[in-house]
Amino acid sequence: MRKLLVATHGRFASGIMETFKLIMGENEDISEISAYVEPGFDMQKEAEKKLNEEDELIIVADIMGGSIANTFSSYIQSEKIHIITGLNLPLLIGLAQDLASDVSTDELIENAIQMGREGIVDLKKMIEENSDIEEDF
């Protein structure tokens, strides 16, 4: 079975999951870690709790080079562990919508990353460019 873990510094994970659930509903195959919110938080122990030899796990972390991505990267030699950094809502939706499908994990990740990239837009610039096109007609 394929599962998804959203892991971030602070309450970013719980906040984005709250928004995700408003849009997509509950999904028992998605869990979260809000790191360093509580005193004495131990990232290594939390990572070990989430790892399961039977499940394939896609970990989505907030930032490359951060302690969360770095901690999970020590498990990346396993074919069942995948780590994506640069969490945003379109990326999360892209992963979740096909999480239980037959699409390969590599394709799932590639498609979701593309959705995440396409979700980052300078709206003002886009509107200005589209308005220039409309004026040409």
Side-chain angles (χ1 to χ4, degrees), residues 120-134:
I120 301 170
V121 175
D122 180 342
L123 192 55
K124 181 176 182 169
K125 185 176 181 180
M126 186 177 90
I127 290 170
E128 288 171 353
E129 288 172 356
N130 286 333
S131 115
D132 289 344
I133 292 169
E134 290 172 10

Side-chain angles (χ1 to χ4, degrees), residues 79-136:
E79 290 182 17
K80 294 186 175 196
I81 303 295
H82 310 271
I83 304 168
I84 304 169
T85 61
L87 173 63
N88 67 20
L89 192 56
L91 170 68
L92 183 55
I93 290 170
L95 288 167
Q97 69 187 7
D98 288 328
L99 193 60
S101 76
D102 290 335
V103 68
S104 74
T105 302
D106 288 340
E107 186 178 347
L108 170 68
I109 290 171
E110 185 178 321
N111 292 341
I113 288 173
Q114 186 61 35
M115 284 182 69
R117 287 183 180 135
E118 290 172 2
I120 301 170
V121 175
D122 180 342
L123 192 55
K124 181 176 182 169
K125 185 176 181 180
M126 186 177 90
I127 290 170
E128 288 171 353
E129 288 172 356
N130 286 333
S131 115
D132 289 344
I133 292 169
E134 290 172 10
E135 289 174 6
D136 290 340

